[in-house]
Structures are given as structure tokens and as C-alpha cells.
Amino acid sequence: KMISCFIQSSFLDKHLNLKNGKNFFSRKFSNKNKKKFLPFKNITLNVIKNNLNSVENPNKNTDIKDKFLSWLSYNNVFIFNKSTWGRAPHQCFVSNETTDEGESCGRGLLAFKKIQQGEKLIEIPENLILSVDKDQNEKDGYDFLNEYDSLGIFLIQQFTMGDKSKWKIYFNILPREEDLNLGFRWNIHDVIFLRGSKTLNASLYLKEKIKMQFLRLEKNVFCKNRLKYPKSIFNIKQWEWALSILLSRAIFLQNLKKVSLVPYADFMNHNPFSTSYIDSKKISFSQNHEIVMYADKDYNKFDQIFTTYGQKNKPGTFASLWFYFRKKSF
């Protein structure tokens, strides 16, 4: 079972070259540089370590998930699968392991019962999302920051607050640093296997863009107030982590005109055929909004609930989200 997980969680093209990896590098590089390349060693050990940890702690993911669901309930997110006064049971439940056409999708949402097209699937209070108000940036003199700049800084600040952060339990369920092996974070040992594909250019472009973004913020924001933005926290490694989270999980809420992290809603996996968008909706007789999504089709019990991340090409998706589409929807 562990070997199967190892194969599924690794980039297959690398392991097809595993037997002749040494010869591969000796053909592509001079003898002077050949000793610098130790392909597969670090990746293999990390993947095996992660799989062993999951075997040794089979209940760890379940405990984290249960705490997260309790946190959602405490913050007025209705996730109960039993009817209450005036409310039908919630239609979904979280599964730590989901599949799509036989392939693992990781954690996702499944249908608790039959769902009809048009049913509301999620309701998240606006005060639970992570977002940054543009007006606040203008007051702080940072009106030159874009949404990803502001949200990335806010995410790092909240994460380093630990137990003092409102979203501490949400952060616990996010992917770990070692699991965020997105294309633009690969080192030279890994990127070399993308030669000849459009994905290589997409990964290198995104890597350079994020680096330049950090250097711009370092010059115009961080270095001007080290008390608020200490170098031990606001560095390139932390910035790559923050952007990895945002690129893979952030949602643009069309009605609110803002990029946000939406706890629970971001459990849903992408399907290129889905037409369900996550967006905000004004609550009747109130000035507040809630984050909602409606079913784009009928679902049977235990079907996986999908959303769409929008139309994306393969290289761009792989570089920022770390997966490929097998099927074309457009």
C-alpha cells in the first residue's frame, strides 16, 4: 500500500528514468558538474517519510479534521448531517481520501445523500473568510499593493500568530510545507525532467515572477518596518509558502470583488467539466454576505462534489496547482 502511495504521489516521468538516471545526467552535463546532481535521493526520502508518518499515525488526519469541523460549527457554519429546527441535513461530508475515475484526489467533499441540481451546497459566513480590505491598505499607505500582495502578507502574519489567530485550526488542516511541492518550487534536479514541455517555461516564469514580487515587497514594505516585518518571518521561503497556498486554494469572489481563502469551501476539488462557482451572496434583510455554491447537476449518495477553478491550460495548472487534467473540456 505504501509503495502504491509512493508512486501516486511522485512525478511519474522521474521514476521512469530511475534506472538510467545516472546515464541521463552524464549525457546532459559535463563531467565537471556531474557530481553535483543527486537525482531522486531527497524526494524519495521525503515521500517515504511522509507515508511512514501517515501509517504510524492513522488517526492524525481524522483528529485534525474533527477539530476543524467543530471550529466551523462554532463559527456558525451548518455542517450537521441531521435535520434541526427548520433546517434539512447538510448534504455533504468531508472525506480524507477521494477518487475521480480511480485516481486519488486527496481530501474532498462527498454527497451525504442524493442532491438535486440547483440545491445550495455550502453557506460560509463572510467573517470567516481570509481577505484584505482595500480601504485598509490605503489607510496604511500601501495602496500600491495588489490583492495577492496584501493577502500573502496577511496570511503570513496570521500563521505566525499561532494560537492567537482566529484561523489557527484552519491553518492546521492546510497542506504542510513539505507537501507543497508545486512546479515553481522544484530545484534543478527536478525541473530538468520537464525539458521539452511547455510546463518548464510556465514553472520558470512563475518562479521568477514570485521572486521579483518578493523583492519588490522587501524593498517597498518589509525593510521599511523590520519591527512589524522581521526578516526571520518575512523571507523568500515564507513568501513561497504563502503564494503556494493562495495559488492552489484562493477563490475570487466575483460579487465582493476580492480574492479570499474560504475555509471548508476550498476542500472541493476541481473538475474541468464542473460549472459550479463559489461566490458571495447578500443575506436577505441584512448588510452581510455569505459564501455559497449551488449544485450544477444531480449527485448520487457518496459522489464527489466538484467545483471549477476556471478555465486553465495544462502547463499553468501544473506549475501552480501540481496536477494535470487527463480530459479536455475545451
Side-chain angles (χ1 to χ4, degrees), residues 149 156 207-222 226 231 233-240 243:
D149 293 338
I156 294 174
K207 186 178 184 69
E208 184 64 19
K209 183 178 180 180
I210 290 174
K211 178 182 177 182
M212 297 304 296
Q213 182 185 28
F214 171 77
L215 293 176
R216 174 171 56 83
L217 293 174
E218 172 70 16
K219 178 181 178 181
N220 298 320
V221 179
F222 301 151
R226 283 302 178 195
K231 204 165 188 176
I233 296 175
F234 291 88
N235 50 57
I236 185 63
K237 184 177 180 181
Q238 282 290 93
W239 187 250
E240 285 187 351
L243 265 292

Side-chain angles (χ1 to χ4, degrees), residues 308-326:
T308 177
Y309 300 166
Q311 293 188 355
K312 298 176 181 289
N313 58 22
K314 287 187 177 182
T317 304
F318 182 82
S320 60
L321 301 178
W322 174 232
F323 63 77
Y324 256 151
F325 307 136
R326 287 187 176 274

Side-chain angles (χ1 to χ4, degrees), residues 181-243:
N181 195 23
L182 278 66
F184 72 87
R185 303 187 77 186
W186 287 15
N187 57 35
I188 188 61
H189 308 125
D190 310 323
V191 172
I192 197 64
F193 289 95
L194 301 178
R195 290 185 67 178
S197 72
K198 295 180 180 179
T199 305
L200 175 60
N201 291 334
S203 297
L204 294 177
Y205 169 77
L206 189 56
K207 186 178 184 69
E208 184 64 19
K209 183 178 180 180
I210 290 174
K211 178 182 177 182
M212 297 304 296
Q213 182 185 28
F214 171 77
L215 293 176
R216 174 171 56 83
L217 293 174
E218 172 70 16
K219 178 181 178 181
N220 298 320
V221 179
F222 301 151
C223 71
K224 292 184 177 181
N225 191 344
R226 283 302 178 195
L227 187 62
K228 185 175 182 180
Y229 305 109
K231 204 165 188 176
S232 59
I233 296 175
F234 291 88
N235 50 57
I236 185 63
K237 184 177 180 181
Q238 282 290 93
W239 187 250
E240 285 187 351
W241 169 81
L243 265 292

Side-chain angles (χ1 to χ4, degrees), residues 26 28 57 102 108 110 118 120 127 138 148 191 213 218 224 226 233 241 248-249 254 284:
S26 64
K28 298 295 182 182
N57 303 289
L110 302 183
K120 185 189 291 186
N127 62 5
E138 293 177 0
Y148 279 87
V191 172
Q213 182 185 28
E218 172 70 16
K224 292 184 177 181
R226 283 302 178 195
I233 296 175
W241 169 81
S248 59
R249 308 183 78 84
Q254 183 68 38
S284 301

Side-chain angles (χ1 to χ4, degrees), residues 28-29 33 124 143 147 162 183 187-188 253 262 268 296 298:
K28 298 295 182 182
F29 300 95
N33 296 325
I124 311 294
D143 54 320
E147 289 182 295
N187 57 35
I188 188 61
L253 301 174
V262 185
M268 280 181 282
D296 63 336
D298 295 341

Side-chain angles (χ1 to χ4, degrees), residues 29-263:
F29 300 95
S30 64
N31 291 331
K32 181 179 179 181
N33 296 325
K34 185 171 64 174
K35 292 183 179 180
K36 293 182 180 180
F37 294 94
L38 297 173
F40 318 117
K41 181 177 179 181
N42 292 334
I43 294 176
T44 303
L45 290 177
N46 283 336
V47 173
I48 292 177
K49 181 180 178 181
N50 290 340
N51 282 319
L52 285 175
N53 286 338
S54 65
V55 172
E56 292 172 359
N57 303 289
N59 296 322
K60 183 177 180 181
N61 288 336
T62 302
D63 292 341
I64 293 175
K65 184 187 75 174
D66 289 343
K67 289 181 180 178
F68 175 69
L69 295 178
S70 297
W71 176 77
L72 287 175
S73 179
Y74 177 79
N75 285 281
N76 301 315
V77 180
F78 185 76
I79 53 173
F80 296 110
N81 296 131
K82 294 183 179 180
S83 58
T84 60
W85 183 258
R87 295 202 68 163
H90 183 49
Q91 305 97 318
C92 312
F93 69 95
V94 179
S95 175
N96 286 329
E97 292 294 334
T98 61
T99 59
D100 182 24
E101 295 188 353
E103 295 189 5
S104 176
C105 300
R107 186 183 282 124
L109 289 187
L110 302 183
F112 176 73
K113 63 184 185 67
K114 282 189 174 184
I115 297 173
Q116 293 183 343
Q117 182 179 1
E119 282 191 56
K120 185 189 291 186
L121 298 179
I122 59 170
E123 295 175 284
I124 311 294
E126 184 183 1
N127 62 5
L128 200 59
I129 68 174
L130 282 88
S131 61
V132 178
D133 194 347
K134 291 182 180 179
D135 294 337
Q136 186 62 45
N137 281 339
E138 293 177 0
K139 290 180 182 178
D140 296 338
Y142 295 145
D143 54 320
F144 58 88
L145 298 180
N146 62 44
E147 289 182 295
Y148 279 87
D149 293 338
S150 304
L151 190 52
I153 293 171
F154 182 66
L155 179 60
I156 294 174
Q157 288 175 326
Q158 291 295 320
F159 182 76
T160 54
M161 285 174 62
D163 292 336
K164 296 181 180 179
S165 173
K166 173 182 179 179
W167 294 277
K168 169 66 166 60
I169 295 178
Y170 172 61
F171 293 146
N172 288 342
I173 208 165
L174 291 177
R176 298 170 296 178
E177 171 67 26
E178 58 268 26
D179 295 329
L180 289 169
N181 195 23
L182 278 66
F184 72 87
R185 303 187 77 186
W186 287 15
N187 57 35
I188 188 61
H189 308 125
D190 310 323
V191 172
I192 197 64
F193 289 95
L194 301 178
R195 290 185 67 178
S197 72
K198 295 180 180 179
T199 305
L200 175 60
N201 291 334
S203 297
L204 294 177
Y205 169 77
L206 189 56
K207 186 178 184 69
E208 184 64 19
K209 183 178 180 180
I210 290 174
K211 178 182 177 182
M212 297 304 296
Q213 182 185 28
F214 171 77
L215 293 176
R216 174 171 56 83
L217 293 174
E218 172 70 16
K219 178 181 178 181
N220 298 320
V221 179
F222 301 151
C223 71
K224 292 184 177 181
N225 191 344
R226 283 302 178 195
L227 187 62
K228 185 175 182 180
Y229 305 109
K231 204 165 188 176
S232 59
I233 296 175
F234 291 88
N235 50 57
I236 185 63
K237 184 177 180 181
Q238 282 290 93
W239 187 250
E240 285 187 351
W241 169 81
L243 265 292
S244 296
I245 294 295
L246 296 183
L247 289 173
S248 59
R249 308 183 78 84
I251 300 167
F252 179 69
L253 301 174
Q254 183 68 38
N255 292 332
L256 290 177
K257 304 297 182 185
K258 63 171 63 175
V259 176
S260 309
L261 287 173
V262 185

